[in-house]
Amino acid sequence: MSNVLPYIVLPSMPAATGRIEESVLSLSLPAPDASVLARRAQIVAALRAIVPGEGVIAGEREMRPYECDGLTAYRQLPMVVVLPDTAAQVSRVLKFCHERGIKVVPRGAGTSLSGGALPLADGILLGMAKFNRIREIDFENRVAVVEPGVTNLAVTQAVEHAGFYYAPDPSSQIACTIGGNVAENSGGVHCLKYGLTTNNVLGCELVLIDGEIIRLGGKHLDAGGYDLLGVITGSEGLLGVVTEITVRILKKPERARAVLVGFASAENAGECVSKIIAAGIIPAGMEMMDRPAIHAVEQFVHAGYPLDVEALLIVEADGPQPEVDHLIGRISSIANSCAAVTCRISNSEEERLLFWAGRKAAFPAVGRISPDYYCMDGTIPRARLPQVLGRMRELSAEYGLGIANVFHAGDGNLHPLILYDANKPGELERAEKFGADILKLCVEVGGVLTGEHGVGVEKRDLMPAMFSEIDLAQQQRLKCAFDAKGLLNPGKVFPTLHRCAELGRMHVHAGRVPFPGIERF
């Protein structure tokens, strides 16, 4: 079933570089033979019996919107797209695929930035967009029960009339879905104080690859036994398909104020971040941008950012008004002790929101100053911020590519945006090498490969830089416990995926491992 489309390009990923490069072999395959087409037709017909109406998309043109995710340098048409709208349909689809050995790639809104939702030419793409209902809002227990296709922002919009909100707020919150947030364990600008998705999900309904529907957690804070809910959150679609999520909703703070602080150097800004945390202050959010990002954002949003600084911090405190006013004063004093050259405190809710509007528009703003950019995601200890920023400037000069830094400074989650032009030969390849060097740098200073974007395809072959063979074998044993045949989102996360029976003698070798069926733009 591997060659079900008229052509594919076979890429391969060199060990420990984290980049995908086209193989020397680029095939224009002949049309599939009659037996392959017949089998595909049988699969499509069977799926249409399970998901009737417009729930199955099999035409090449109609499947084009699903050929890539947010990692847009690569694309591949799936064998077929299935759009169920009930858990029972998901169960029947997965059971059908399990019985026939058909691969399945779950997909939310497709905003993944690590290639986590890239389709397979010989697999089904299971789109969850029709699961877009909010099933219950329970203010007494401070939870909302939602389907995975509900957007992040829609949860807050559904409860804000009663003074509640959903805390995790990725920059893509207007588009990204709760199901995708669970898959990647997404964060946001307020994750420092209120946690990532894993800290705000209390329960879920999950369909396993054999079609069994199970429930984990519920409206209570903690469940006994193994933390299976923690295992599922951040599992990138490798263990099951989530069809319902119970999330924690919080009462909106009485007061929130933000401080906009400019520094003459990124080192001073990094020092300020460390000193605020060392003082025992846990801000609601603490974000940082460097000069290229500041200028791009100000031209785009006109948030009133200073343009004569090298680094900008946005630090927010929330809670009772006396506490907030006290914390804002302490934060301002610490900033001034770190040689801040400008310090502006929000005096209204409109001004505070304007500060954040600039930060949340950083990605599209950078898109206005460069034909293309490559968004990275790694996490480092806060104290290493100055060192890492300095090294990234050196790498920028070495590769001859610009870089704009936007990141969650409070928890050290970096989002460097590497600027390049895909129309210039070699620039995409240089951007990928540059990005791999940044991620390896994160690991070298005691950090990790990802903070919230996941491993997917992008960081797959960098996993041995962070995990030993024993670590990777143990992770794959967990995968096998849920998906013994390796049918759920194969080709993602693990540099070499072994059969479950082989794990007792597993040897992870960082060699050239093909990722079937991705075509580069």
Side-chain angles (χ1 to χ4, degrees):
M1 274 310 293
S2 59
N3 298 334
V4 297
L5 296 174
Y7 66 90
I8 56 174
V9 175
L10 302 178
S12 57
M13 296 181 68
T17 66
R19 71 186 182 94
I20 307 172
E21 63 178 14
E22 287 184 354
S23 168
V24 174
L25 182 62
S26 179
L27 299 180
S28 294
L29 298 176
D33 60 37
S35 62
V36 170
L37 290 174
R39 188 181 178 211
R40 179 177 185 268
Q42 292 172 357
I43 291 171
V44 170
L47 292 171
R48 283 183 169 148
I50 297 171
V51 186
E54 299 180 347
V56 176
I57 303 173
E60 179 176 337
R61 180 179 178 183
E62 291 78 10
M63 290 194 296
R64 283 293 172 194
Y66 301 92
E67 68 182 356
C68 66
D69 61 5
L71 186 69
T72 52
Y74 308 97
R75 63 183 179 184
Q76 169 60 49
L77 283 175
M79 176 172 61
V80 61
V81 176
V82 185
L83 305 174
D85 61 5
T86 68
Q89 288 180 346
V90 173
S91 172
R92 291 179 63 193
V93 168
L94 292 185
K95 183 178 180 181
F96 171 79
C97 292
H98 183 253
E99 291 173 348
R100 289 157 180 79
I102 302 168
K103 301 167 188 175
V104 181
V105 176
R107 176 188 172 101
T111 59
S112 166
L113 291 170
S114 61
L118 281 173
L120 297 171
D122 57 350
I124 289 170
L125 188 131
L126 189 69
M128 301 299 288
K130 290 187 176 182
F131 282 77
N132 58 4
R133 296 169 286 265
I134 296 178
R135 295 184 177 178
E136 181 186 1
I137 297 174
D138 184 347
F139 289 116
E140 290 185 357
N141 287 304
R142 298 194 173 191
V143 301
V145 181
V146 305
E147 293 182 343
V150 173
T151 63
N152 178 286
L153 185 59
V155 179
T156 291
Q157 291 172 336
V159 300
E160 61 186 357
H161 68 279
F164 285 82
Y165 75 110
Y166 179 60
D169 55 347
S171 296
S172 59
Q173 65 182 149
I174 192 173
C176 66
T177 60
I178 295 295
N181 291 171
V182 171
E184 305 294 348
N185 191 23
S186 304
V189 299
H190 290 97
C191 63
L192 175 60
K193 183 175 181 178
Y194 295 105
L196 297 136
T197 299
T198 190
N199 306 111
N200 291 275
V201 170
L202 300 176
C204 75
E205 178 184 82
L206 181 75
V207 185
L208 303 179
I209 185 62
D210 64 359
E212 181 181 359
I213 301 175
I214 64 173
R215 284 189 173 273
L216 304 174
K219 293 184 178 182
H220 47 285
L221 290 179
D222 289 300
Y226 293 117
D227 183 17
L228 294 177
L229 188 62
V231 169
I232 294 301
T233 307
S235 61
E236 303 193 36
L238 271 69
L239 306 182
V241 178
V242 174
T243 51
E244 179 188 285
I245 304 132
T246 302
V247 299
R248 183 202 314 263
I249 55 174
L250 303 178
K251 196 71 176 175
K252 186 177 179 180
E254 174 189 321
R255 177 76 162 157
R257 298 182 74 188
V259 186
L260 195 67
V261 192
F263 296 90
S265 71
E267 287 73 17
N268 287 347
E271 180 189 10
C272 183
V273 169
S274 296
K275 284 190 172 182
I276 289 172
I277 300 298
I281 301 171
I282 305 298
M286 185 155 54
E287 300 290 300
M288 183 173 167
M289 290 180 279
D290 65 5
R291 175 181 281 269
I294 295 166
H295 282 248
V297 166
E298 182 58 21
Q299 292 169 13
F300 186 45
V301 178
H302 306 293
Y305 290 171
L307 298 178
D308 58 346
V309 298
E310 292 297 323
L312 188 68
L313 279 183
I314 307 174
V315 189
E316 180 171 289
D318 65 7
Q321 183 167 341
E323 178 186 352
V324 170
D325 293 344
H326 172 69
L327 290 176
I328 288 295
R330 291 184 63 194
I331 291 168
S332 299
S333 296
I334 292 171
N336 289 327
S337 73
C338 296
V341 297
T342 180
C343 186
R344 177 180 160 197
I345 301 172
S346 66
N347 290 310
S348 67
E349 181 66 1
E350 292 73 22
E351 189 174 23
R352 181 186 74 85
L353 292 175
L354 187 59
F355 289 176
W356 286 118
R359 165 59 185 89
K360 291 198 171 187
F363 287 9
V366 170
R368 297 173 75 240
I369 65 171
S370 176
D372 303 281
Y373 66 78
Y374 189 26
C375 178
M376 303 306 301
D377 164 56
T379 302
I380 63 171
R382 284 182 294 262
R384 307 303 287 271
L385 275 172
Q387 173 191 347
V388 170
L389 289 171
R391 178 57 183 150
M392 281 197 286
R393 285 195 296 269
E394 294 174 359
L395 288 170
S396 176
E398 290 175 17
Y399 282 103
L401 296 173
I403 187 170
N405 278 291
V406 182
F407 51 89
H408 309 309
D411 60 357
N413 187 193
L414 311 180
H415 291 317
L417 305 176
I418 300 171
L419 313 181
Y420 72 98
D421 186 346
N423 292 317
K424 295 182 179 179
E427 283 212 357
L428 172 57
E429 290 76 11
R430 294 211 312 276
E432 290 171 334
K433 290 180 180 179
F434 186 0
D437 282 348
I438 290 174
L439 294 176
K440 286 186 280 188
L441 174 63
C442 289
V443 174
E444 288 168 8
V445 301
V448 296
L449 291 173
T450 179
E452 57 172 334
H453 292 176
V455 175
V457 173
E458 177 192 57
K459 308 179 185 77
R460 186 190 68 180
D461 278 4
L462 284 170
M463 289 284 276
M466 180 175 168
F467 296 107
S468 69
E469 295 179 359
I470 295 173
D471 294 330
L472 290 170
Q474 191 66 10
Q475 291 177 35
Q476 290 195 36
R477 289 187 182 98
L478 179 61
K479 162 74 170 170
C480 288
F482 283 84
D483 178 22
K485 295 182 180 180
L487 299 175
L488 280 171
N489 217 8
K492 317 292 173 61
V493 179
F494 298 112
T496 304
L497 185 62
H498 286 68
R499 295 180 182 273
C500 296
E502 298 174 340
L503 286 174
R505 50 187 169 81
M506 176 179 175
H507 174 71
V508 177
H509 176 64
R512 297 175 68 88
V513 183
F515 183 77
I518 303 179
E519 175 195 351
R520 169 171 282 167
F521 276 119

